[in-house]
Amino acid sequence: MIYPQVGNAPFPNTEMPKSVKKIYLEAASISNNSPRGAAALLRLSLQILCKELGESGKNIDSDIKSLVQNGLPLIVQQSLDSVRVIGNDAVHPGQIDTDDIVVVNKLFGLINVIVEYLIALPNQVSGIYSTLPANKIEGIQNRDKKK
Protein backbone atom coordinates (compact mmCIF):
# COMPACT_ATOMS: atom_id res chain seq x y z
CA MET A 1 0.00 0.00 0.00
CA ILE A 2 1.28 3.44 -0.91
CA TYR A 3 0.40 6.40 1.27
CA PRO A 4 -1.42 8.59 0.68
CA GLN A 5 -3.90 6.76 -1.51
CA VAL A 6 -5.38 9.16 -4.03
CA GLY A 7 -7.00 6.85 -6.55
CA ASN A 8 -7.40 8.64 -9.86
CA ALA A 9 -8.30 11.95 -8.27
CA PRO A 10 -6.32 14.99 -9.35
CA PHE A 11 -4.06 16.56 -6.76
CA PRO A 12 -5.76 19.36 -4.82
CA ASN A 13 -5.27 22.92 -5.99
CA THR A 14 -2.25 24.39 -4.21
CA GLU A 15 -4.39 27.26 -2.93
CA MET A 16 -6.98 24.94 -1.37
CA PRO A 17 -7.49 25.77 2.32
CA LYS A 18 -6.10 23.10 4.66
CA SER A 19 -9.51 22.35 6.15
CA VAL A 20 -10.90 21.62 2.69
CA LYS A 21 -7.80 19.75 1.51
CA LYS A 22 -8.03 17.36 4.45
CA ILE A 23 -11.53 16.23 3.40
CA TYR A 24 -10.59 16.28 -0.30
CA LEU A 25 -7.67 13.91 0.32
CA GLU A 26 -9.85 11.66 2.46
CA ALA A 27 -12.34 11.47 -0.42
CA ALA A 28 -9.49 10.71 -2.83
CA SER A 29 -8.24 7.91 -0.60
CA ILE A 30 -11.58 6.05 -0.78
CA SER A 31 -12.74 7.02 -4.27
CA ASN A 32 -11.77 3.74 -5.96
CA ASN A 33 -13.39 1.57 -3.29
CA SER A 34 -16.36 3.81 -2.50
CA PRO A 35 -17.21 6.41 -5.14
CA ARG A 36 -20.44 7.18 -3.27
CA GLY A 37 -18.53 7.82 -0.05
CA ALA A 38 -16.08 10.04 -1.94
CA ALA A 39 -18.96 12.05 -3.46
CA ALA A 40 -20.45 12.59 0.00
CA LEU A 41 -17.07 13.72 1.35
CA LEU A 42 -16.61 16.11 -1.57
CA ARG A 43 -19.98 17.63 -0.72
CA LEU A 44 -18.69 18.08 2.83
CA SER A 45 -15.51 19.69 1.50
CA LEU A 46 -17.71 22.10 -0.45
CA GLN A 47 -19.60 23.01 2.71
CA ILE A 48 -16.31 23.70 4.49
CA LEU A 49 -15.10 25.72 1.49
CA CYS A 50 -18.22 27.89 1.65
CA LYS A 51 -17.41 28.65 5.27
CA GLU A 52 -13.81 29.50 4.29
CA LEU A 53 -15.28 31.93 1.73
CA GLY A 54 -17.14 33.79 4.47
CA GLU A 55 -20.50 32.07 4.25
CA SER A 56 -22.24 30.41 7.20
CA GLY A 57 -21.36 26.87 6.15
CA LYS A 58 -24.66 25.63 7.59
CA ASN A 59 -26.70 25.32 4.39
CA ILE A 60 -24.82 24.93 1.12
CA ASP A 61 -27.80 25.99 -0.98
CA SER A 62 -28.12 29.26 0.98
CA ASP A 63 -24.36 29.79 0.82
CA ILE A 64 -24.38 29.38 -2.97
CA LYS A 65 -27.34 31.75 -3.24
CA SER A 66 -25.40 34.34 -1.25
CA LEU A 67 -22.32 33.90 -3.43
CA VAL A 68 -24.46 34.30 -6.58
CA GLN A 69 -26.00 37.49 -5.18
CA ASN A 70 -22.46 38.79 -4.67
CA GLY A 71 -21.57 38.27 -8.35
CA LEU A 72 -20.42 34.66 -8.54
CA PRO A 73 -19.71 33.70 -12.18
CA LEU A 74 -22.20 31.24 -13.67
CA ILE A 75 -19.54 28.58 -14.35
CA VAL A 76 -18.56 28.57 -10.66
CA GLN A 77 -22.20 28.45 -9.55
CA GLN A 78 -22.79 25.46 -11.80
CA SER A 79 -19.69 23.76 -10.41
CA LEU A 80 -20.84 24.37 -6.84
CA ASP A 81 -24.33 23.09 -7.55
CA SER A 82 -23.03 20.02 -9.39
CA VAL A 83 -20.93 18.95 -6.40
CA ARG A 84 -23.79 19.80 -4.02
CA VAL A 85 -26.47 17.84 -5.92
CA ILE A 86 -24.33 14.80 -6.73
CA GLY A 87 -22.91 14.73 -3.20
CA ASN A 88 -26.43 14.94 -1.75
CA ASP A 89 -27.56 12.06 -3.96
CA ALA A 90 -24.68 10.00 -2.59
CA VAL A 91 -26.40 9.94 0.81
CA HIS A 92 -29.97 10.41 -0.42
CA PRO A 93 -30.22 8.15 -3.48
CA GLY A 94 -31.95 9.76 -6.41
CA GLN A 95 -31.46 9.79 -10.14
CA ILE A 96 -27.69 10.26 -10.26
CA ASP A 97 -25.43 7.21 -10.23
CA THR A 98 -22.92 8.11 -7.55
CA ASP A 99 -21.37 4.65 -7.81
CA ASP A 100 -19.86 5.75 -11.12
CA ILE A 101 -16.18 6.52 -10.49
CA VAL A 102 -16.01 8.61 -13.69
CA VAL A 103 -18.71 10.98 -12.38
CA VAL A 104 -17.09 11.17 -8.97
CA ASN A 105 -13.64 11.86 -10.45
CA LYS A 106 -15.15 14.85 -12.26
CA LEU A 107 -16.27 16.21 -8.89
CA PHE A 108 -12.65 16.37 -7.76
CA GLY A 109 -11.92 18.51 -10.81
CA LEU A 110 -14.87 20.76 -10.04
CA ILE A 111 -13.66 21.35 -6.48
CA ASN A 112 -10.32 22.41 -7.96
CA VAL A 113 -12.10 24.72 -10.45
CA ILE A 114 -14.03 26.34 -7.61
CA VAL A 115 -10.84 26.91 -5.61
CA GLU A 116 -9.10 28.27 -8.72
CA TYR A 117 -11.84 30.84 -9.43
CA LEU A 118 -12.63 31.87 -5.86
CA ILE A 119 -9.22 31.72 -4.19
CA ALA A 120 -6.23 31.19 -6.51
CA LEU A 121 -7.11 33.73 -9.23
CA PRO A 122 -8.10 36.50 -6.79
CA ASN A 123 -4.84 35.94 -4.87
CA GLN A 124 -2.84 36.10 -8.08
CA VAL A 125 -4.58 39.22 -9.39
CA SER A 126 -4.56 41.09 -6.08
CA GLY A 127 -0.88 40.27 -5.68
CA ILE A 128 0.03 42.17 -8.84
CA TYR A 129 -2.74 44.80 -8.63
CA SER A 130 -1.58 45.87 -5.19
CA THR A 131 1.84 46.75 -6.65
CA LEU A 132 0.36 49.38 -8.99
CA PRO A 133 1.10 52.99 -8.04
CA ALA A 134 -1.55 54.53 -5.76
CA ASN A 135 -2.42 57.27 -8.28
CA LYS A 136 -3.10 54.60 -10.95
CA ILE A 137 -5.38 52.64 -8.61
CA GLU A 138 -7.20 55.87 -7.71
CA GLY A 139 -7.68 56.62 -11.41
CA ILE A 140 -9.13 53.15 -11.96
CA GLN A 141 -11.48 53.53 -9.00
CA ASN A 142 -12.66 56.94 -10.25
CA ARG A 143 -13.26 55.49 -13.70
CA ASP A 144 -15.42 52.74 -12.24
CA LYS A 145 -17.51 54.82 -9.83
CA LYS A 146 -21.24 54.46 -10.29
CA LYS A 147 -22.94 57.66 -11.35
CSV table of all heavy atoms in Angstrom, one decimal, residues 59-89:
chain,number,residue,atom,x,y,z
A,59,ASN,N,-25.8,25.8,5.5
A,59,ASN,CA,-26.7,25.3,4.4
A,59,ASN,C,-26.0,25.7,3.1
A,59,ASN,O,-26.0,26.9,2.7
A,59,ASN,CB,-28.1,26.0,4.5
A,59,ASN,CG,-29.0,25.5,3.5
A,59,ASN,OD1,-28.8,25.7,2.3
A,59,ASN,ND2,-30.2,25.0,3.9
A,60,ILE,N,-25.6,24.7,2.4
A,60,ILE,CA,-24.8,24.9,1.1
A,60,ILE,C,-25.7,25.7,0.1
A,60,ILE,O,-25.2,26.6,-0.6
A,60,ILE,CB,-24.3,23.6,0.5
A,60,ILE,CG1,-23.3,22.9,1.4
A,60,ILE,CG2,-23.6,23.9,-0.8
A,60,ILE,CD1,-22.8,21.6,0.9
A,61,ASP,N,-26.9,25.3,0.0
A,61,ASP,CA,-27.8,26.0,-1.0
A,61,ASP,C,-27.9,27.5,-0.7
A,61,ASP,O,-27.8,28.3,-1.6
A,61,ASP,CB,-29.2,25.3,-1.0
A,61,ASP,CG,-30.0,25.6,-2.2
A,61,ASP,OD1,-29.4,25.6,-3.3
A,61,ASP,OD2,-31.2,25.9,-2.1
A,62,SER,N,-28.1,27.8,0.6
A,62,SER,CA,-28.1,29.3,1.0
A,62,SER,C,-26.8,29.9,0.8
A,62,SER,O,-26.7,31.1,0.3
A,62,SER,CB,-28.5,29.4,2.4
A,62,SER,OG,-29.8,28.9,2.7
A,63,ASP,N,-25.7,29.2,1.0
A,63,ASP,CA,-24.4,29.8,0.8
A,63,ASP,C,-24.1,30.1,-0.7
A,63,ASP,O,-23.6,31.1,-1.0
A,63,ASP,CB,-23.3,28.8,1.3
A,63,ASP,CG,-23.2,28.7,2.8
A,63,ASP,OD1,-23.9,29.6,3.5
A,63,ASP,OD2,-22.6,27.8,3.4
A,64,ILE,N,-24.5,29.2,-1.5
A,64,ILE,CA,-24.4,29.4,-3.0
A,64,ILE,C,-25.2,30.6,-3.4
A,64,ILE,O,-24.8,31.4,-4.2
A,64,ILE,CB,-24.7,28.1,-3.8
A,64,ILE,CG1,-23.7,27.0,-3.5
A,64,ILE,CG2,-24.8,28.4,-5.3
A,64,ILE,CD1,-24.0,25.6,-4.0
A,65,LYS,N,-26.5,30.6,-2.9
A,65,LYS,CA,-27.3,31.8,-3.2
A,65,LYS,C,-26.7,33.1,-2.9
A,65,LYS,O,-26.7,34.0,-3.7
A,65,LYS,CB,-28.7,31.6,-2.5
A,65,LYS,CG,-29.6,32.7,-2.8
A,65,LYS,CD,-30.9,32.6,-2.0
A,65,LYS,CE,-31.9,33.7,-2.3
A,65,LYS,NZ,-33.2,33.6,-1.6
A,66,SER,N,-26.1,33.1,-1.7
A,66,SER,CA,-25.4,34.3,-1.3
A,66,SER,C,-24.2,34.7,-2.2
A,66,SER,O,-24.0,35.8,-2.5
A,66,SER,CB,-24.9,34.2,0.2
A,66,SER,OG,-24.2,35.3,0.6
A,67,LEU,N,-23.4,33.7,-2.5
A,67,LEU,CA,-22.3,33.9,-3.4
A,67,LEU,C,-22.8,34.4,-4.8
A,67,LEU,O,-22.2,35.3,-5.4
A,67,LEU,CB,-21.5,32.6,-3.6
A,67,LEU,CG,-20.7,32.2,-2.3
A,67,LEU,CD1,-20.2,30.7,-2.5
A,67,LEU,CD2,-19.6,33.1,-2.0
A,68,VAL,N,-23.9,33.9,-5.3
A,68,VAL,CA,-24.5,34.3,-6.6
A,68,VAL,C,-24.9,35.8,-6.5
A,68,VAL,O,-24.6,36.6,-7.4
A,68,VAL,CB,-25.6,33.4,-7.0
A,68,VAL,CG1,-26.4,34.0,-8.2
A,68,VAL,CG2,-25.1,32.0,-7.4
A,69,GLN,N,-25.5,36.1,-5.4
A,69,GLN,CA,-26.0,37.5,-5.2
A,69,GLN,C,-24.8,38.5,-5.1
A,69,GLN,O,-25.0,39.6,-5.4
A,69,GLN,CB,-26.9,37.6,-3.9
A,69,GLN,CG,-28.2,36.9,-4.1
A,69,GLN,CD,-29.0,36.9,-2.8
A,69,GLN,OE1,-28.4,37.0,-1.7
A,69,GLN,NE2,-30.3,36.6,-2.9
A,70,ASN,N,-23.7,38.0,-4.8
A,70,ASN,CA,-22.5,38.8,-4.7
A,70,ASN,C,-21.6,38.7,-5.9
A,70,ASN,O,-20.4,39.1,-5.9
A,70,ASN,CB,-21.6,38.4,-3.5
A,70,ASN,CG,-22.3,38.8,-2.2
A,70,ASN,OD1,-22.8,39.9,-2.1
A,70,ASN,ND2,-22.3,37.9,-1.2
A,71,GLY,N,-22.2,38.2,-7.0
A,71,GLY,CA,-21.6,38.3,-8.3
A,71,GLY,C,-20.8,37.0,-8.8
A,71,GLY,O,-19.9,37.1,-9.6
A,72,LEU,N,-21.1,35.9,-8.2
A,72,LEU,CA,-20.4,34.7,-8.5
A,72,LEU,C,-20.6,34.4,-10.0
A,72,LEU,O,-21.7,34.4,-10.5
A,72,LEU,CB,-21.0,33.5,-7.7
A,72,LEU,CG,-20.3,32.2,-7.8
A,72,LEU,CD1,-18.9,32.2,-7.1
A,72,LEU,CD2,-21.2,31.1,-7.2
A,73,PRO,N,-19.5,34.1,-10.8
A,73,PRO,CA,-19.7,33.7,-12.2
A,73,PRO,C,-20.5,32.4,-12.3
A,73,PRO,O,-20.5,31.5,-11.5
A,73,PRO,CB,-18.3,33.5,-12.6
A,73,PRO,CG,-17.4,34.2,-11.7
A,73,PRO,CD,-18.1,34.1,-10.4
A,74,LEU,N,-21.3,32.4,-13.4
A,74,LEU,CA,-22.2,31.2,-13.7
A,74,LEU,C,-21.5,29.9,-13.7
A,74,LEU,O,-21.9,28.9,-13.1
A,74,LEU,CB,-22.9,31.4,-15.0
A,74,LEU,CG,-23.9,30.3,-15.4
A,74,LEU,CD1,-25.0,30.2,-14.5
A,74,LEU,CD2,-24.4,30.6,-16.9
A,75,ILE,N,-20.3,29.8,-14.3
A,75,ILE,CA,-19.5,28.6,-14.4
A,75,ILE,C,-19.2,28.1,-13.0
A,75,ILE,O,-19.2,26.9,-12.7
A,75,ILE,CB,-18.3,28.7,-15.3
A,75,ILE,CG1,-17.7,27.4,-15.6
A,75,ILE,CG2,-17.2,29.6,-14.6
A,75,ILE,CD1,-18.5,26.6,-16.6
A,76,VAL,N,-18.9,29.0,-12.0
A,76,VAL,CA,-18.6,28.6,-10.7
A,76,VAL,C,-19.8,28.1,-9.9
A,76,VAL,O,-19.8,27.1,-9.2
A,76,VAL,CB,-17.8,29.7,-9.9
A,76,VAL,CG1,-17.5,29.3,-8.5
A,76,VAL,CG2,-16.6,30.1,-10.7
A,77,GLN,N,-20.9,28.8,-10.2
A,77,GLN,CA,-22.2,28.5,-9.5
A,77,GLN,C,-22.6,27.1,-10.0
A,77,GLN,O,-23.0,26.2,-9.2
A,77,GLN,CB,-23.3,29.5,-9.9
A,77,GLN,CG,-24.7,29.1,-9.5
A,77,GLN,CD,-25.5,28.5,-10.6
A,77,GLN,OE1,-25.6,29.0,-11.7
A,77,GLN,NE2,-26.1,27.3,-10.3
A,78,GLN,N,-22.4,26.8,-11.3
A,78,GLN,CA,-22.8,25.5,-11.8
A,78,GLN,C,-21.9,24.4,-11.2
A,78,GLN,O,-22.3,23.3,-10.9
A,78,GLN,CB,-22.7,25.5,-13.3
A,78,GLN,CG,-23.8,26.3,-13.9
A,78,GLN,CD,-23.7,26.4,-15.5
A,78,GLN,OE1,-22.7,26.1,-16.0
A,78,GLN,NE2,-24.8,26.8,-16.1
A,79,SER,N,-20.6,24.7,-11.0
A,79,SER,CA,-19.7,23.8,-10.4
A,79,SER,C,-20.1,23.5,-9.0
A,79,SER,O,-20.1,22.3,-8.5
A,79,SER,CB,-18.3,24.3,-10.4
A,79,SER,OG,-17.8,24.5,-11.8
A,80,LEU,N,-20.4,24.5,-8.2
A,80,LEU,CA,-20.8,24.4,-6.8
A,80,LEU,C,-22.1,23.5,-6.8
A,80,LEU,O,-22.2,22.6,-5.9
A,80,LEU,CB,-21.1,25.7,-6.2
A,80,LEU,CG,-19.9,26.6,-5.9
A,80,LEU,CD1,-20.3,28.1,-5.7
A,80,LEU,CD2,-19.2,26.1,-4.6
A,81,ASP,N,-23.1,23.8,-7.6
A,81,ASP,CA,-24.3,23.1,-7.5
A,81,ASP,C,-24.2,21.6,-8.0
A,81,ASP,O,-24.8,20.8,-7.5
A,81,ASP,CB,-25.4,23.8,-8.4
A,81,ASP,CG,-26.0,24.9,-7.6
A,81,ASP,OD1,-26.2,24.8,-6.3
A,81,ASP,OD2,-26.3,26.0,-8.2
A,82,SER,N,-23.3,21.4,-8.9
A,82,SER,CA,-23.0,20.0,-9.4
A,82,SER,C,-22.5,19.2,-8.2
A,82,SER,O,-23.0,18.1,-8.0
A,82,SER,CB,-22.0,20.0,-10.6
A,82,SER,OG,-22.6,20.6,-11.7
A,83,VAL,N,-21.5,19.7,-7.5
A,83,VAL,CA,-20.9,19.0,-6.4
A,83,VAL,C,-22.0,18.8,-5.3
A,83,VAL,O,-22.1,17.7,-4.7
A,83,VAL,CB,-19.7,19.7,-5.9
A,83,VAL,CG1,-19.2,19.0,-4.6
A,83,VAL,CG2,-18.6,19.7,-6.9
A,84,ARG,N,-22.8,19.8,-5.1
A,84,ARG,CA,-23.8,19.8,-4.0
A,84,ARG,C,-24.8,18.7,-4.3
A,84,ARG,O,-25.1,17.9,-3.5
A,84,ARG,CB,-24.5,21.2,-3.9
A,84,ARG,CG,-25.6,21.2,-2.9
A,84,ARG,CD,-26.3,22.6,-2.9
A,84,ARG,NE,-27.0,22.9,-4.1
A,84,ARG,CZ,-28.2,22.5,-4.5
A,84,ARG,NH1,-28.9,21.7,-3.6
A,84,ARG,NH2,-28.7,22.8,-5.6
A,85,VAL,N,-25.4,18.8,-5.6
A,85,VAL,CA,-26.5,17.8,-5.9
A,85,VAL,C,-26.0,16.4,-6.0
A,85,VAL,O,-26.6,15.5,-5.4
A,85,VAL,CB,-27.1,18.3,-7.3
A,85,VAL,CG1,-28.0,17.2,-7.8
A,85,VAL,CG2,-27.9,19.6,-7.1
A,86,ILE,N,-24.8,16.2,-6.6
A,86,ILE,CA,-24.3,14.8,-6.7
A,86,ILE,C,-23.9,14.3,-5.4
A,86,ILE,O,-24.2,13.1,-5.0
A,86,ILE,CB,-23.2,14.7,-7.8
A,86,ILE,CG1,-23.7,15.0,-9.2
A,86,ILE,CG2,-22.5,13.4,-7.7
A,86,ILE,CD1,-22.7,15.2,-10.2
A,87,GLY,N,-23.3,15.1,-4.5
A,87,GLY,CA,-22.9,14.7,-3.2
A,87,GLY,C,-24.1,14.4,-2.3
A,87,GLY,O,-24.1,13.5,-1.5
A,88,ASN,N,-25.2,15.2,-2.5
A,88,ASN,CA,-26.4,14.9,-1.7
A,88,ASN,C,-27.0,13.6,-2.2
A,88,ASN,O,-27.5,12.8,-1.3
A,88,ASN,CB,-27.5,16.0,-2.0
A,88,ASN,CG,-27.2,17.3,-1.1
A,88,ASN,OD1,-26.5,17.3,-0.2
A,88,ASN,ND2,-27.9,18.3,-1.5
A,89,ASP,N,-27.0,13.3,-3.5
A,89,ASP,CA,-27.6,12.1,-4.0
A,89,ASP,C,-26.8,10.9,-3.5
A,89,ASP,O,-27.3,9.7,-3.4
A,89,ASP,CB,-27.7,12.1,-5.5
A,89,ASP,CG,-29.0,12.5,-6.0
A,89,ASP,OD1,-29.7,13.2,-5.2
A,89,ASP,OD2,-29.4,12.2,-7.1
